[in-house]
């Protein structure tokens, strides 16, 4: 009697339904960032105080429908994972999600979802939690969907055939991005092109947006990503796939194609003028070279050609743009925006502002301006009670005393006293019934325009003013150790109308700090510190998973699993790069879905290489 051999099915022979799931995820990843269509939302009373455009309404082009598609994709992935573990006659149990080595990541994703839901349930602002704030639309459903996108990426990309298709899709995505960037850089913003503007606007609003302008970011390219910073974040997710393929492809034609694509993505990052993305891009270039350190000696010829070609392209492009490209590079590297605000010497330097009934005290480090109102008449004194000399020219009050001559005061059409202290913008106060009030959201009267406690002022200017949000967010985390305040609620808890902090950081008080400008602080505030720890566990395990299997991955470049190894290396670099990027930028529905899918793909591709050695 012959012994029968049990044949183990290789994961390279993927079932059709798994390939279908991977294809849908890939197409969604390529499409979601470009979805743009106008949505007008009626805000609840709380959200309207912070986010309304007019009459309690908020208009959005970039976020709402992306969020809807992310939720749909998350539901699809959940149904597919459940279905493949219930319905097939022969259930495949040897999958990345079921792997014991990946169990910690799966548990951490579950904990993140649980804490996100609990934070929503116990939130004071259920309407915002269910929809997300109008500045990001990351609702509780979107945040839960991110983890499902991660699990989907983890579960369906451990096959060589799927990796080959993914490389082509990522190449197509890069080329589309480069073309759109060239249009915006050399012609005009995409959404200001007539036929595109009409296509993304419902007929009822076409008249309203006939003069739509999205060039508020000056020469910065943002495409459909809401903000150039998030566009830069998207570019650093795509670049490693082009750069890694350029270094590892064997055929000359593909080396040229990927070389052009990687150079194009560098151009895109420069056009975004996002400092964080620029520095992360450099880190990704170096990290990719490090992971290929053993074979770098075989790449020196193509690297030399690449460097010379890049220098030539940069010089030619800079000439075409009239010298702007070099200027962008200098501005990005120097990051001088906040230095321009804080470097002005001809201003009344603020330390504090106090509203004390009929007295307004504007306090500096070595002087004080005190304004007193009695029966509608203003009097001006210094900190010692000495009367200041003023003159009135064309209804503008000027101060003649030394140390106050940069200050001027006027009355605007809203019956507000407008004070110019020499900063980029003015500050306004109501004077009513012999009392001073600050001007809050939507013109509301407020009685506090400064912070009782102010520490870490020296850190405020960091990273174009992000330090201001970070320093003042950290003390708030004591109340979100277990659960957070709920998705999209950051603006409601962060102290707004801090005249002193905003003027010294941004030169203006016309800001709503609706995000902490850090994905990690954002998670800790809105989903809680336990959710943040769960997210960090996923990040650490993804990095550990790649490093611990590094030798296996590098060996696979030389056999018939080249594409799977290439995807593993590129997704690892992209994931690590975005983790760094997240230190100084918030989570955003325009780019984070791509990140979570790529992070899952990194785990899946490593699994495919490790468990199917040849």
């Amino acid at each position: 009697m012959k012994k029968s051999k049990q044949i183990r099915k290789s994961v390279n022979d993927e079932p059709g339904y798994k390939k279908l799931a991977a294809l849908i995820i890939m197409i969604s990843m390529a499409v979601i960032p470009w979805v743009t269509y106008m949505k007008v939302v009626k805000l609840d009373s709380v959200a309207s105080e912070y986010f309304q455009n007019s009459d309690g309404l908020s208009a959005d082009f970039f976020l709402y429908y992306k969020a809807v598609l992310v939720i749909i994709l998350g539901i699809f992935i959940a149904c597919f994972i459940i279905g493949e573990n219930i319905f097939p006659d022969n259930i495949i149990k040897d999958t990345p999600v079921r792997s014991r080595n990946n169990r910690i990541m799966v548990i951490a994703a579950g904990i993140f979802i649980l804490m996100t839901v609990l934070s929503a349930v116990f939130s004071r602002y259920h309407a915002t939690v269910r929809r997300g704030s109008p500045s990001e639309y990351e609702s509780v459903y979107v945040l839960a969907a991110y983890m499902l996108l991660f699990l989907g990426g983890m579960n369906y990309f451990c096959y060589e055939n799927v990796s080959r298709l993914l490389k082509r899709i990522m190449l197509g995505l890069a080329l589309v991005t480069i073309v759109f960037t060239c249009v915006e850089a050399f012609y005009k913003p995409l959404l200001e092109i007539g036929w595109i503007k009409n296509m993304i606007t419902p007929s009822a609003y076409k008249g309203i947006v006939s003069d739509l302008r999205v060039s508020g970011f000056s020469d910065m390219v943002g495409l459909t990503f809401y903000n150039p910073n998030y566009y830069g974040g998207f570019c650093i997710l795509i670049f490693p796939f082009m750069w890694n393929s350029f270094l590892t492809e064997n055929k000359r034609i593909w080396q040229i194609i990927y070389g052009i694509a990687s150079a194009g993505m560098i151009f895109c990052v420069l056009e975004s003028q996002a400092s964080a993305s620029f520095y992360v891009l450099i880190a990704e270039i170096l990290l990719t070279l490090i992971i290929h350190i053993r074979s770098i000696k075989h790449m020196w010829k193509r690297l030399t050609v690449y460097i010379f070609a890049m220098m030539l392209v940069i010089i030619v492009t800079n000439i075409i743009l009239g010298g702007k490209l070099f200027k962008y590079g200098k501005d990005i590297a120097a990051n001088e925006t906040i230095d321009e605000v804080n470097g002005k010497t001809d201003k009344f330097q603020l330390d504090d502002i106090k509203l004390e009934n009929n007295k307004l005290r504007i306090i500096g480090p070595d002087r004080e301006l005190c304004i007193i109102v009695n029966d509608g008449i203003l009097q001006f004194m210094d900190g010692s009670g000495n009367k200041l000399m003023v003159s009135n020219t064309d209804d503008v009050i000027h101060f003649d005393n030394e140390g106050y001559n940069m200050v001027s005061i006027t009355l605007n059409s809203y019956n507000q006293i407008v004070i110019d202290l020499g900063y980029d913008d003015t500050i306004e106060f109501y004077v009513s019934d012999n009392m001073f009030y600050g001007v809050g959201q939507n013109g509301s009267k407020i009685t506090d325009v400064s912070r009782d406690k102010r520490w870490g002022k020296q850190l405020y200017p960091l990273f174009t003013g992000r330090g201001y949000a970070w320093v003042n967010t950290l003390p708030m985390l004591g109340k979100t150790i277990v659960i957070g305040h709920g998705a999209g609620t950051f603006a409601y808890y962060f102290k707004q109308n801090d005249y002193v902090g905003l003027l010294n950081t941004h030169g203006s008080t016309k800001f709503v700090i609706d995000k902490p400008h850090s994905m990690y602080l954002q998670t800790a505030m809105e989903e809680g510190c336990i959710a943040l720890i769960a997210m960090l566990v996923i990040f650490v395990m993804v990095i550990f998973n790649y490093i611990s299997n590094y030798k296996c991955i590098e060996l696979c470049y030389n056999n018939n699993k080249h594409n799977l190894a290439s995807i593993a290396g590129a997704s690892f670099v992209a994931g690590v790069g975005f983790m760094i990027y997240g230190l100084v930028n918030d989570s955003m529905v325009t780019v984070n879905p791509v990140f979570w899918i790529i992070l899952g793909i990194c785990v899946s591709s490593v699994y495919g290489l490790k468990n199917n050695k040849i």
Side-chain angles (χ1 to χ4, degrees):
M1 184 177 179
K2 294 182 179 180
K3 293 183 179 180
S4 60
K5 294 183 179 179
Q6 185 177 2
I7 301 176
R8 183 177 180 271
K9 188 175 183 180
S10 169
V11 298
N12 285 324
D13 300 324
E14 72 275 16
Y17 66 85
K18 287 183 176 287
K19 191 171 184 178
L20 175 63
L23 179 62
I24 292 174
I25 293 172
M26 284 187 279
I27 292 174
S28 300
M29 181 172 61
V31 169
I32 287 176
W34 309 108
V35 173
T36 306
Y37 195 73
M38 186 179 186
K39 176 67 176 180
V40 177
V41 176
K42 178 67 176 177
L43 303 176
D44 64 275
S45 59
V46 178
S48 64
E49 291 184 21
Y50 299 86
F51 301 108
Q52 71 168 327
N53 296 118
S54 63
D55 299 325
L57 301 175
S58 174
D60 165 72
F61 281 92
F62 305 103
L63 308 174
Y64 182 87
Y65 288 104
K66 288 182 176 73
V68 171
L69 289 180
V70 168
I71 295 170
I72 292 173
L73 180 59
I75 293 172
F76 164 81
I77 291 173
C79 292
F80 228 93
I81 291 177
I82 293 172
E84 72 171 344
N85 285 281
I86 295 177
F87 297 114
D89 294 331
N90 297 309
I91 297 173
I92 300 175
K93 296 183 178 181
D94 188 12
T95 63
V97 168
R98 287 174 172 263
S99 172
R100 181 175 299 177
N101 293 330
N102 297 333
R103 188 171 299 169
I104 293 176
M105 283 183 275
V106 175
I107 293 173
I111 291 173
F112 183 92
I113 293 174
L114 175 63
M115 300 314 299
T116 299
V117 171
L118 288 176
S119 297
V121 170
F122 291 101
S123 176
R124 294 169 54 191
Y125 304 101
H126 289 111
T128 298
V129 165
R130 289 193 298 269
R131 182 184 288 161
S133 79
S135 64
E136 58 189 29
Y137 280 108
E138 284 194 329
S139 65
V140 58
Y141 309 113
V142 170
L143 293 173
Y146 285 166
M147 291 299 112
L148 296 174
L149 266 58
F150 170 67
L151 294 177
M154 180 192 292
N155 206 43
Y156 298 111
F157 290 84
C158 54
Y159 309 106
E160 176 68 12
N161 291 334
V162 171
S163 295
R164 184 181 301 111
L165 179 59
L166 177 60
K167 283 182 67 174
R168 301 298 180 254
I169 287 178
M170 296 302 282
L171 175 61
L173 187 56
L175 295 177
V176 168
T177 304
I178 294 166
V179 170
F180 285 169
T181 300
C182 289
V183 171
E184 198 149 302
F186 297 105
Y187 178 49
K188 65 192 303 186
L190 286 180
L191 301 193
E192 292 182 13
I193 298 173
W195 65 271
I196 295 180
K197 189 189 305 183
N198 290 328
M199 185 176 64
I200 64 175
T201 307
S203 57
Y205 298 103
K206 289 190 186 300
I208 299 175
V209 298
S210 59
D211 296 323
L212 175 67
R213 294 289 180 271
V214 294
S215 54
F217 296 105
S218 187
D219 293 326
M220 302 167 75
V221 171
L223 298 184
T224 60
F225 290 84
Y226 183 71
N227 183 298
N229 284 315
Y230 303 122
Y231 165 65
F234 173 76
C235 291
I236 63 170
L237 284 172
I238 306 302
F239 169 76
F241 289 88
M242 305 303 103
W243 176 237
N244 190 73
S245 294
F246 165 72
L247 293 176
T248 58
E249 283 290 341
N250 296 317
K251 293 184 178 179
R252 183 61 56 84
I253 182 64
W254 285 113
Q255 291 175 14
I256 295 172
I257 291 173
Y258 282 112
I260 293 172
S262 62
M265 293 309 301
I266 293 175
F267 169 74
C268 293
V269 171
L270 289 174
E271 282 296 322
S272 75
Q273 297 187 52
S275 296
S277 300
F278 175 75
Y279 287 116
V280 169
L281 178 78
I282 294 173
E284 289 180 334
I285 292 173
L286 297 176
L287 181 57
T288 304
L289 293 175
I290 290 171
I291 65 175
H292 295 305
I293 195 67
R294 294 183 178 181
S295 54
I296 200 74
K297 60 183 178 181
H298 303 299
M299 303 175 182
W300 70 270
K301 288 185 179 180
R302 74 179 73 176
L303 282 173
T304 302
V305 173
Y306 185 86
I307 291 171
F308 279 107
M310 274 292 296
M311 291 175 63
L312 179 62
V313 170
I314 289 172
I315 292 171
V316 172
T317 304
N318 185 63
I319 293 172
I320 295 174
L321 289 174
K324 288 183 178 180
L325 195 63
F326 284 174
K327 180 181 181 299
Y328 294 164
K330 177 180 177 296
D331 291 344
I332 292 170
N335 201 359
E336 295 175 342
T337 308
I338 294 301
D339 291 337
E340 294 174 1
V341 173
N342 293 317
K344 293 184 177 180
T345 56
D346 189 23
K347 64 176 182 288
F348 188 100
Q349 183 67 47
L350 271 177
D351 272 358
D352 203 358
I353 296 178
K354 293 187 180 296
L355 301 177
E356 300 174 349
N357 297 323
N358 72 327
K359 184 185 294 185
L360 167 61
R361 296 174 59 200
I362 300 175
I363 303 169
D366 55 4
R367 64 179 65 91
E368 178 179 328
L369 171 60
C370 183
I371 305 176
I372 301 172
V373 60
N374 284 311
D375 297 326
I377 301 193
L378 299 177
Q379 296 179 342
F380 306 96
M381 298 182 180
D382 63 17
S384 301
N386 300 315
K387 189 174 181 179
L388 297 173
M389 302 302 294
V390 300
S391 58
N392 193 321
T393 305
D394 296 329
D395 294 326
V396 179
I397 297 174
H398 297 278
F399 290 82
D400 301 325
N401 301 74
E402 185 179 353
Y404 297 86
N405 52 4
M406 76 288 291
V407 181
S408 63
I409 299 175
T410 57
L411 190 69
N412 66 16
S413 58
Y414 299 101
N415 199 32
Q416 298 168 347
I417 181 173
V418 181
I419 303 176
D420 187 345
L421 298 173
Y423 288 86
D424 290 344
D425 206 350
T426 58
I427 50 177
E428 291 79 41
F429 299 89
Y430 289 112
V431 183
S432 177
D433 299 325
N434 285 330
M435 291 186 66
F436 285 98
Y437 300 91
V439 181
Q441 276 69 41
N442 301 319
S444 60
K445 292 181 179 179
I446 56 176
T447 58
D448 186 11
V449 293
S450 186
R451 291 179 175 272
D452 295 332
K453 297 180 181 179
R454 193 178 297 280
W455 62 279
K457 291 187 293 184
Q458 297 81 3
L459 302 176
Y460 282 11
L462 286 176
F463 296 96
T464 59
R466 284 169 169 79
Y468 172 75
W470 300 341
V471 166
N472 292 302
T473 298
L474 286 172
M476 303 165 64
L477 301 184
K479 296 183 179 180
T480 61
I481 293 175
V482 179
I483 62 173
H485 296 303
T489 61
F490 177 84
Y492 308 154
Y493 290 91
F494 190 89
K495 179 177 175 53
Q496 308 294 342
N497 309 303
D498 175 13
Y499 282 13
V500 179
L502 289 173
L503 276 178
N504 284 323
T505 305
H506 299 287
S508 173
T509 62
K510 310 303 188 293
F511 289 91
V512 172
I513 308 298
D514 55 355
K515 295 181 284 288
H517 297 292
S518 169
M519 180 171 66
Y520 302 95
L521 289 177
Q522 181 184 17
T523 301
M525 274 290 292
E526 297 183 350
E527 286 74 60
C529 293
I530 294 178
L532 172 62
I533 292 171
M535 186 175 76
L536 292 175
V537 167
I538 293 174
F539 291 175
V540 171
M541 291 304 299
V542 169
I543 295 172
F544 175 79
N545 183 56
Y546 183 89
I547 293 175
S548 61
N549 293 284
Y550 170 74
K551 290 183 179 180
C552 170
I553 297 167
E554 287 300 295
L555 287 173
C556 289
Y557 277 104
N558 300 317
N559 56 37
N560 64 350
K561 292 195 290 298
H562 178 277
N563 291 299
L564 200 56
S566 178
I567 290 298
S571 56
F572 170 73
V573 172
V576 171
F578 200 86
M579 293 174 199
I580 298 170
Y581 165 90
L583 291 169
V584 297
N585 283 287
D586 308 277
S587 176
M588 177 58 67
V589 74
T590 58
V591 61
N592 276 65
V594 179
F595 163 66
W596 284 109
I597 292 173
I598 287 176
L599 203 66
I601 288 173
C602 180
V603 178
S604 187
S605 53
V606 171
Y607 174 89
L609 295 168
K610 181 177 64 175
N611 289 276
N612 292 272
K613 300 183 180 70
I614 292 181

